[in-house]
Amino acid sequence: MITNIPFGEKYAGLSIFEPSEGTLVVVPSLSLPQDELRRITAARSYEERLLFLLLTLREPGVRVVYLSSAPIDPDIIDYYFAFLPDPDDAAKRLTLISLDDPWSQPLTKALLARPDALEQVRAAVEGDAWLVPFVLSELEEELASLLNVPLYGPATALAYYGSKSGAREVGHEAGVPMPRGFGDVRHVLEIEEAIEALPGERVIVKLNDSYSGLGNAIVTKADRSLTSFSASGETWANFTAKIRDRGAVVEEFIEHRPLYYPSALACITPGGTARVLATHDQVLGGPNGHVYQGCTFPAAPEYRAEVGSSAERIAQVLADRGVVGIFGMDFFALKADAGYAALLCEINLRIGGTTHPFGATVLTTGATYDPATGLLMSGNQPKFYTATDNCSSSCLRGRSPGEVVRMADRLGIGFDAERRTGNVFHLLGAVPEHGKLGFTSIGDSREEADELHALTRRLLCGP
């Protein structure tokens, strides 16, 4: 199987946020453990997270081919086109290909079984192309090989570095502080030995390939019946069976309070250039407070530089090992004797929850990241944002995406193109059935972004 198809030299230094020409073949397949995916409300609509890439069509030399399990509401496409200087021209350079099967999971697996759809993709590709996957698995590698299109993402041979155990290995090499713990744990005896060897009354056990915190368990040493799982309905017997199949890490549970949860977004270009794109503070929820709900940009000034510096060192280690693409890193931040300390929590070698808010912001405001300050600058004006994937209300259920967009405009919570502030909506396809959507609130200050976000939640989703 040919998977490492080379990029043209002129694309070696670019990221997907700044193409000037060529075709982006966007495959937002959720090629992830399906047991955890089923726990996410409106999971299929998460294929729409990458629709912000339609904003790259502002460049007249760019084409986009966008795959989906089910047809995307035309009003959603029109919504993104409204951000562009020439929507009619952009429409000519967009190809939407739907499998018309909303229950297909993952999308790429279904696509590989559809020669007709594969031929549609081939016919739509013009000139140099990148295949941009939401998650890169062997399925996406097979698809790239069949299409003879290079992948913008880490090869599956390097997937270990995106596991919880692999992250600990990379963190050690990068010289980044981490919680004390043990990686590559698979057997019950190993779990028990690791639990007893770590300090404190509680430890955290994390499945190697889990996401959104859904594969985490907090274990109380003195009473295992108090074990708390992030995923509802989980049991210790079922959880340990997953550990045998997928591996896990056992780490000390950070009891320090207050505890903050910053993250960093980075990319490595096909030419091997690593750079940090942004830092965020994550908004977490769920039973254990480990499930991703949204984020704010930038991370708090008290630990922003420390997170950015650690992320830069990690990204360089991954670049040296041949990783390509966009990825995220999660940290803990806590007050130490001399300022704040940032501890690496995990590396997510894939597009994640902070990617689409960042992409929507830079592509609507034209802002660029200043590594010296950790700010996004649009000219001389810094930009701030607050984002969520989890705004839901029964009053939204049954409405169409177009209705929601028009309502936002009437309420004055849309996007102001002149000031380059306001809301950019996503996950609109989840509105009719689930009454759920996401949005990124962009402001010229932390306060403006937070106030707009809170107002939007009240107006759309109630108190």
Side-chain angles (χ1 to χ4, degrees):
M1 181 187 300
I2 300 172
T3 56
N4 295 319
I5 304 162
F7 282 81
E9 184 177 342
K10 61 183 175 181
Y11 295 109
L14 294 178
S15 78
I16 61 169
F17 302 108
E18 52 192 10
S20 58
E21 58 183 295
T23 302
L24 300 184
V25 181
V26 184
V27 184
S29 178
L30 303 177
S31 302
L32 296 161
Q34 299 296 295
D35 58 331
E36 293 174 26
L37 190 64
R38 285 189 288 269
R39 301 177 191 273
I40 298 176
T41 301
R44 186 196 58 77
S45 294
Y46 280 63
E47 290 181 359
E48 296 180 10
R49 270 180 163 181
L50 299 192
L51 281 173
F52 75 86
L53 289 172
L54 270 57
L55 302 180
T56 63
L57 291 167
R58 66 176 63 254
E59 294 292 337
V62 172
R63 299 179 61 85
V64 173
V65 180
Y66 202 99
L67 283 294
S68 62
S69 297
I72 299 170
D73 189 306
D75 282 345
I76 298 176
I77 304 301
D78 289 343
Y79 171 70
Y80 284 97
F81 278 174
F83 289 95
L84 302 179
D86 189 345
D88 291 337
D89 181 62
K92 298 173 185 175
R93 292 179 281 112
L94 171 65
T95 301
L96 298 171
I97 298 175
S98 167
L99 301 186
D100 294 318
D101 183 0
W103 307 113
S104 292
Q105 289 295 352
L107 164 65
T108 308
K109 184 176 181 180
L111 177 62
L112 290 170
R114 290 278 302 276
D116 59 325
L118 287 171
E119 191 53 44
Q120 281 184 274
V121 178
R122 288 193 189 95
V125 173
E126 293 185 11
D128 291 303
W130 308 354
L131 193 151
V132 183
F134 182 78
V135 180
L136 202 158
S137 72
E138 291 180 354
L139 295 170
E140 285 70 39
E141 288 186 329
E142 182 178 352
L143 176 61
S145 178
L146 289 171
L147 297 174
N148 198 37
V149 172
L151 279 160
Y152 189 78
T156 56
L158 304 173
Y160 174 74
Y161 301 125
S163 71
K164 305 300 187 293
S165 297
R168 292 190 65 83
E169 181 179 316
V170 172
H172 280 301
E173 183 173 338
V176 172
M178 292 178 288
R180 287 167 288 190
F182 301 89
D184 288 322
V185 173
R186 289 188 179 271
H187 304 292
V188 173
L189 181 59
E190 291 178 320
I191 298 169
E192 294 299 328
E193 289 176 344
I195 289 173
E196 294 305 321
L198 290 170
E201 297 179 357
R202 296 189 290 176
V203 301
I204 185 166
V205 184
K206 298 184 287 188
L207 296 176
N208 262 342
D209 60 353
S210 62
Y211 52 93
S212 295
L214 289 170
N216 295 356
I218 299 173
V219 179
T220 300
K221 290 183 178 182
D223 187 350
R224 301 301 169 80
S225 68
L226 298 177
T227 297
S228 176
F229 298 98
S230 292
S232 61
E234 188 63 276
T235 66
W236 184 248
N238 189 52
F239 192 69
T240 52
K242 291 179 182 178
I243 291 174
R244 286 194 296 272
D245 291 339
R246 294 150 60 176
V249 299
V250 182
E251 295 178 341
E252 63 178 320
F253 184 78
I254 307 298
E255 301 281 4
H256 188 286
R257 297 294 182 273
L259 185 64
Y260 306 96
Y261 304 93
S263 68
L265 185 67
C267 76
I268 301 172
T269 69
T273 300
R275 59 189 172 114
V276 175
L277 300 174
T279 64
H280 298 90
D281 274 315
Q282 297 181 90
V283 179
L284 304 179
N288 287 336
H290 293 167
V291 180
Y292 179 83
Q293 305 290 312
C295 65
T296 62
F297 171 90
E302 291 84 357
Y303 44 78
R304 185 188 308 158
E306 179 72 18
V307 170
S309 175
S310 293
E312 188 176 356
R313 298 201 299 276
I314 291 167
Q316 189 57 58
V317 169
L318 292 171
D320 292 343
R321 297 189 179 196
V323 170
V324 170
I326 300 167
F327 59 96
M329 296 153 273
D330 295 342
F331 295 83
F332 299 116
L334 50 93
K335 187 77 167 63
D337 293 336
Y340 280 76
L343 308 178
L344 176 65
C345 176
E346 63 186 49
I347 298 171
N348 297 303
L349 277 189
R350 55 178 173 80
I351 287 174
T354 62
T355 309
H356 52 290
F358 171 81
T361 300
V362 298
L363 290 170
T364 56
T365 67
T368 57
Y369 182 70
D370 178 8
T373 61
L375 296 174
L376 278 173
M377 301 299 298
S378 179
N380 294 322
Q381 176 61 58
K383 294 294 180 180
F384 300 76
Y385 58 84
T386 303
T388 182
D389 278 345
N390 290 281
C391 177
S392 60
S393 172
S394 58
C395 68
L396 290 176
R397 191 175 295 118
R399 292 180 179 270
S400 71
E403 285 181 282
V404 172
V405 170
R406 290 188 290 273
M407 178 169 56
D409 287 340
R410 285 198 310 272
L411 295 170
I413 53 174
F415 187 78
D416 185 331
E418 185 174 342
R419 292 190 66 233
R420 301 183 183 185
T421 60
N423 283 308
V424 181
F425 293 97
H426 56 270
L427 295 180
L428 286 165
V431 169
E433 183 178 355
H434 302 282
K436 177 179 177 178
L437 53 72
F439 55 93
T440 299
S441 304
I442 305 167
D444 287 339
S445 67
R446 170 80 278 133
E447 293 75 19
E448 183 179 11
D450 285 344
E451 288 172 5
L452 174 60
H453 197 76
L455 174 64
T456 303
R457 274 191 175 277
R458 289 197 303 270
L459 292 177
L460 293 184
C461 303

Coordinates of all heavy atoms in Angstrom, one line a residue, residues 76 146 352 400:
I76 N -26.4 25.5 5.4 CA -25.2 25.5 6.1 C -24.0 25.9 5.2 O -23.2 26.7 5.6 CB -24.9 24.1 6.8 CG1 -26.0 23.8 7.8 CG2 -23.5 24.1 7.4 CD1 -25.8 22.4 8.4
L146 N -5.5 4.7 -2.8 CA -6.4 4.5 -4.0 C -6.6 5.8 -4.8 O -6.7 5.7 -6.0 CB -7.8 4.1 -3.5 CG -7.8 2.6 -3.0 CD1 -9.2 2.4 -2.3 CD2 -7.6 1.6 -4.1
G352 N -8.5 18.1 16.6 CA -9.3 18.0 17.8 C -10.3 19.1 18.0 O -10.6 19.9 17.1
S400 N -34.6 24.5 11.7 CA -33.6 24.2 10.6 C -32.3 25.1 10.9 O -32.4 26.1 11.5 CB -34.2 24.6 9.3 OG -34.3 26.0 9.1

